[in-house]
Amino acid sequence: MPHADSAMIPPGMDKIAFWAHVHEQLSHLLDGQRNWVTNLANASSLVFNALQAFPEFGTGDRMVNWCGFYLNSELFPPPSLTAPMATEDNRFARLLLGPFCGKPACQLINVSPERARGVCADAYRQKKTILVQDVEAYPGHIACDGETKSEVVCPLLLTVSGEERAIGVLDLDCLGLSGFDERDLDGLEKIAKLVVGACDW
Ligand code: SME
């Protein structure tokens, strides 16, 4: 199957069937590739374009306008030998913008205990998915696009030596209030698990 067809959505699906379909398409798309940049780029594109093709999200004031990843900055190649290290609990701990679809977004999100702010930082630090029905009512929300009204952020969790670590987040934004519900949360958590397991970190 051509890769571009992965984002096609058969008509008449409900949300649960939609997320199961996206999960299956993504598992095929990631098969045979373990590089995280490549896989997260294709994952953000597949999820974003599948949502665009799904009537509940694809059009008008309920459109999903952003879908992408932020990753612990330690996963990226170091910019220089003198750059400070970003271990999980020191003051330099931060997420860096990874592969995404949508308008340009903020590049750095601080996740250190004293400076963490926003939905991505909270989902990352709490290691749990956060559904935000109204971004303006969320304390510390970071507005990358003033048109975004609601959001869901799911942590990427990797088990290292028996310990579950957050390594990044998957973030979706919507132009409508209360754009996402528990079915989306469940679907996204399964997508996040698939993506983490499909890559070498
Ligand atoms: N709103 C996020 C920032 C990332 S953008 O939505 C792409 C936050 O509060 O962490």
Side-chain angles (χ1 to χ4, degrees):
M1 177 203 309
H3 288 172
D5 285 351
S6 309
M8 285 171 63
I9 300 301
M13 281 188 159
D14 65 15
K15 259 195 187 179
I16 292 174
F18 167 81
W19 282 114
H21 176 79
V22 172
H23 188 279
E24 191 190 346
Q25 294 299 305
L26 185 58
S27 69
H28 294 309
L29 197 54
L30 304 184
D31 191 32
Q33 175 58 253
R34 305 263 333 150
N35 184 282
W36 72 257
V37 177
T38 305
N39 281 346
L40 269 52
N42 256 342
S44 63
S45 174
L46 173 56
V47 174
F48 184 74
N49 282 287
L51 286 162
Q52 302 276 308
F54 187 57
E56 196 163 328
F57 285 117
T59 52
D61 60 4
R62 296 190 62 75
M63 197 176 80
V64 171
N65 58 325
W66 204 87
C67 169
F69 296 91
Y70 285 89
L71 287 307
N72 186 304
S73 61
E74 287 210 320
L75 289 163
F76 293 77
S80 83
L81 291 175
T82 54
M85 296 299 284
T87 52
E88 220 162 83
D89 278 320
N90 76 19
R91 67 196 176 92
F92 299 113
R94 59 206 188 247
L95 303 178
L96 252 180
L97 180 63
F100 72 94
C101 286
K103 290 182 183 171
C106 63
Q107 298 156 6
L108 276 172
I109 293 177
N110 203 305
V111 291
S112 66
E114 312 82 27
R115 300 180 196 185
R117 184 171 76 86
V119 192
C120 292
D122 290 347
Y124 179 85
R125 291 191 59 80
Q126 293 167 26
K127 297 183 192 164
K128 78 182 217 345
T129 305
I130 298 181
L131 263 179
V132 181
Q133 309 297 358
D134 177 359
V135 295
E136 286 186 19
Y138 191 91
H141 171 259
I142 299 168
C144 295
D145 179 347
E147 289 189 65
T148 294
K149 296 281 192 303
S150 57
E151 179 165 9
V152 57
V153 180
C154 176
L156 303 180
L157 301 173
L158 178 71
T159 302
V160 183
S161 308
E163 188 198 339
E164 192 176 59
R165 283 190 57 186
I167 56 170
V169 297
L170 168 58
D171 181 9
L172 264 67
D173 292 351
C174 180
L175 294 181
L177 286 168
S178 303
F180 304 103
D181 62 25
E182 294 292 328
R183 292 168 298 173
D184 303 308
L185 181 150
D186 188 57
L188 281 172
E189 287 183 345
K190 289 179 177 140
I191 297 281
K193 194 170 176 183
L194 172 64
V195 167
V196 170
C199 302
D200 295 326
W201 299 99

